[in-house]
């Protein structure tokens, strides 16, 4: 495996000292190393990947240096517009390195939501005319970095480094125990489910939360027919829930969201608030981290989500951070006759033995559609 320190020092040696993007599980160790060894103003975890391309552009304009943008390949979709209409050599011609985790690589076992994305990743880069090189645990990464930086400078355009699973050696930063008294996401989720009406529809966000919801249903011998597990499309769970709520006004619809997901497309909350369906409720599980891809920090704990929710037209129920608080507050959310919002503060992390849904996305969809359209 590639030592994170060696990779990082090679980048610094080539003048790449500004990092931005959205963390990825395949890049979690190098991202953690960057976070631990880079000044905060030179390592910015952005709301989404498109924002990272724009931020990198601004840094290059001011410094004339080559920035690096890290992302999962699923984030390429968010980055396409600024890559083609801003950084492309036929527009503003901005050199930068893209470090992309290759989830769903053909021939490598992965989750259903990554398979199509993985299969077309290289085609997408080729279609955008972005040169790319592949690295894994056996690669001469020094040569790849040197070539990539040189190409970015010579073409004055983005260049990609595609990263295979298992490329970087583990890096474990010091843990923050300041939130130890808060419930885990799974504990908070279990407390919430006790109060959600059995015939209500739940749309859960990407990552650990949907996996935990699935397992809690299994543990409690409950059906999965009321749940839509948004295993991909990070940041869009609230709009899926909104679409259901608008079409089925007689059903209560709950969006279980995460802070990283919400921040990625926060404008979606404003759309929900502007339409204000009375049957929609949003519950935000906030641990200030991108938990599913290594626990890299978000700005979730720096945002006053209650004030934001109010400004978006949502009825703000409050912020809670213990299971007792949840039990005291959930009845008010459930009884609310407005588009309501509740924030639950939780600690980072998940069970090491946490499983994944055993049903396919299509099976999940069909089961929910049958329930909704009864």
């Amino acid at each position: 495996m590639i030592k994170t320190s060696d990779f990082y020092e090679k980048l610094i040696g080539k003048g790449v000292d500004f990092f931005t993007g959205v963390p990825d599980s395949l890049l979690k160790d190098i991202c953690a190393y960057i976070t631990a060894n880079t000044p905060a103003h030179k390592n910015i975890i952005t709301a989404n990947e498109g924002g990272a391309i724009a931020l990198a552009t601004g840094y290059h304009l001011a410094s004339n240096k080559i920035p690096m943008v890290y992302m999962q390949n699923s984030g390429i979709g968010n980055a396409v517009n600024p890559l083609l209409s801003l950084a492309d050599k036929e527009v503003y011609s901005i050199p930068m390195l893209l470090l992309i985790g290759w989830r769903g690589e053909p021939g490598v076992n992965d989750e259903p939501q990554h398979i199509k994305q993985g299969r077309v990743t290289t085609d997408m880069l080729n279609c955008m005319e972005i040169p790319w090189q592949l690295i894994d645990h056996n690669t001469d990464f020094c040569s790849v970095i040197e070539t990539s930086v040189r190409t970015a400078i010579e073409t004055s355009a983005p260049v990609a480094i595609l990263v295979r699973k298992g490329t970087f050696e583990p890096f474990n930063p010091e843990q923050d125990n300041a939130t130890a008294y808060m419930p885990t996401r799974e504990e908070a989720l279990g407390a919430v489910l006790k109060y959600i009406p059995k015939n209500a529809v739940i749309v859960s966000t990407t990552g650990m939360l949907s996996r935990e919801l699935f397992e809690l249903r299994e543990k409690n011998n409950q059906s999965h027919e009321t749940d839509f597990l948004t295993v991909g499309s990070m940041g869009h769970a609230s709009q899926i829930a909104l679409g259901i709520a608008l079409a089925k006004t007689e059903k209560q619809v709950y969006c279980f969201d995460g802070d990283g997901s919400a921040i990625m497309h926060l404008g979606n909350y404003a759309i929900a608030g502007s339409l204000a369906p009375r049957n929609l409720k949003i519950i935000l599980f906030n641990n200030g981290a991108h938990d599913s891809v290594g626990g890299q920090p978000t700005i979730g704990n720096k945002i006053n989500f209650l004030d934001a929710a109010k400004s978006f037209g949502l009825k703000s129920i409050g912020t809670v951070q213990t299971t007792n608080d949840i039990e005291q507050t959930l009845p008010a959310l459930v009884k609310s006759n407005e588009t309501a919002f509740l924030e639950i503060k939780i600690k980072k992390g998940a069970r090491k033995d946490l499983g994944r849904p055993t049903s396919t996305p299509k099976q999940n969809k069909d089961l929910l559609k049958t329930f909704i359209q009864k």
Side-chain angles (χ1 to χ4, degrees), residues 137-153:
H137 64 286
N138 288 319
T139 301
D140 178 4
F141 69 89
C142 290
S143 175
V144 170
I145 291 175
E146 288 178 0
T147 302
S148 298
V149 171
R150 183 170 62 251
T151 302
I153 292 172

Side-chain angles (χ1 to χ4, degrees), residues 196-208:
I196 302 296
K198 291 183 179 179
N199 63 346
V201 174
I202 296 174
V203 178
S204 58
T205 191
T206 309
M208 298 291 189

Side-chain angles (χ1 to χ4, degrees), residues 160-233:
I161 299 175
L162 201 55
V163 181
R164 278 180 161 153
K165 183 178 181 179
T167 293
F168 293 104
E169 69 171 12
F171 175 76
N172 298 308
E174 294 183 7
Q175 298 298 312
D176 179 11
N177 296 317
T179 61
Y181 69 94
M182 294 179 183
T184 65
R185 182 180 41 253
E186 192 167 10
E187 291 169 342
L189 187 56
V192 166
L193 288 176
K194 293 178 184 177
Y195 295 89
I196 302 296
K198 291 183 179 179
N199 63 346
V201 174
I202 296 174
V203 178
S204 58
T205 191
T206 309
M208 298 291 189
L209 196 153
S210 283
R211 293 166 60 180
E212 289 167 344
L213 175 59
F214 186 91
E215 290 217 342
L216 282 168
R217 294 299 199 196
E218 291 284 293
K219 177 183 176 181
N220 297 328
N221 295 313
Q222 296 172 333
S223 171
H224 300 283
E225 65 179 356
T226 61
D227 306 334
F228 185 83
L229 310 178
T230 315
V231 294
S233 299

Side-chain angles (χ1 to χ4, degrees), residues 37-57:
N37 292 277
T38 306
H41 68 284
K42 285 198 170 185
N43 177 41
I44 315 298
I45 296 176
T46 52
N48 57 59
E49 295 82 0
I53 300 298
L55 184 59
T57 295

Side-chain angles (χ1 to χ4, degrees), residues 46-308:
T46 52
N48 57 59
E49 295 82 0
I53 300 298
L55 184 59
T57 295
Y59 183 78
H60 170 75
L61 292 174
S63 68
N64 203 36
K65 291 184 176 181
I66 306 297
M68 170 170 276
V69 177
Y70 47 80
M71 68 180 77
Q72 186 179 111
N73 55 340
S74 62
I76 294 175
N78 284 331
V80 166
N81 178 268
L83 280 172
L84 295 181
S85 66
L86 176 65
D88 190 86
K89 59 187 175 183
E90 295 181 28
V91 190
Y92 287 103
S93 194
I94 307 295
M96 63 181 68
L97 298 187
L98 311 177
L99 190 69
I100 304 173
W102 196 0
R103 293 298 303 268
E105 178 187 356
V108 177
N109 185 45
D110 212 326
E111 299 307 307
Q113 68 270 23
H114 295 298
I115 293 174
K116 177 63 174 286
Q117 185 79 53
R119 189 169 70 245
V120 301
T121 291
T122 56
D123 290 337
M124 291 179 71
L125 293 172
N126 290 336
C127 185
M128 290 189 288
E129 299 176 352
I130 295 177
W132 59 273
Q133 294 187 75
L134 179 64
I135 63 170
D136 59 24
H137 64 286
N138 288 319
T139 301
D140 178 4
F141 69 89
C142 290
S143 175
V144 170
I145 291 175
E146 288 178 0
T147 302
S148 298
V149 171
R150 183 170 62 251
T151 302
I153 292 172
E154 290 176 351
T155 62
S156 191
V159 174
I161 299 175
L162 201 55
V163 181
R164 278 180 161 153
K165 183 178 181 179
T167 293
F168 293 104
E169 69 171 12
F171 175 76
N172 298 308
E174 294 183 7
Q175 298 298 312
D176 179 11
N177 296 317
T179 61
Y181 69 94
M182 294 179 183
T184 65
R185 182 180 41 253
E186 192 167 10
E187 291 169 342
L189 187 56
V192 166
L193 288 176
K194 293 178 184 177
Y195 295 89
I196 302 296
K198 291 183 179 179
N199 63 346
V201 174
I202 296 174
V203 178
S204 58
T205 191
T206 309
M208 298 291 189
L209 196 153
S210 283
R211 293 166 60 180
E212 289 167 344
L213 175 59
F214 186 91
E215 290 217 342
L216 282 168
R217 294 299 199 196
E218 291 284 293
K219 177 183 176 181
N220 297 328
N221 295 313
Q222 296 172 333
S223 171
H224 300 283
E225 65 179 356
T226 61
D227 306 334
F228 185 83
L229 310 178
T230 315
V231 294
S233 299
M234 182 173 171
H236 295 298
S238 65
Q239 295 295 274
I240 297 171
L242 175 61
I244 296 172
L246 292 172
K248 288 291 181 179
T249 56
E250 75 281 7
K251 287 193 178 295
Q252 291 295 308
V253 182
Y254 289 79
C255 173
F256 290 174
D257 214 350
D259 53 296
S261 178
I263 292 167
M264 182 167 280
H265 296 293
L266 194 55
N268 286 342
Y269 281 23
I271 299 300
S274 70
L275 294 168
R278 296 177 181 273
N279 57 329
L280 175 64
K281 311 292 186 289
I282 299 174
I283 301 178
L284 179 69
F285 294 80
N286 183 4
N287 61 5
H290 286 288
D291 221 3
S292 298
V293 291
Q296 298 299 305
T298 70
I299 57 169
N301 288 325
K302 297 180 180 180
I303 295 175
N304 188 323
F305 278 109
L306 295 187
D307 284 351

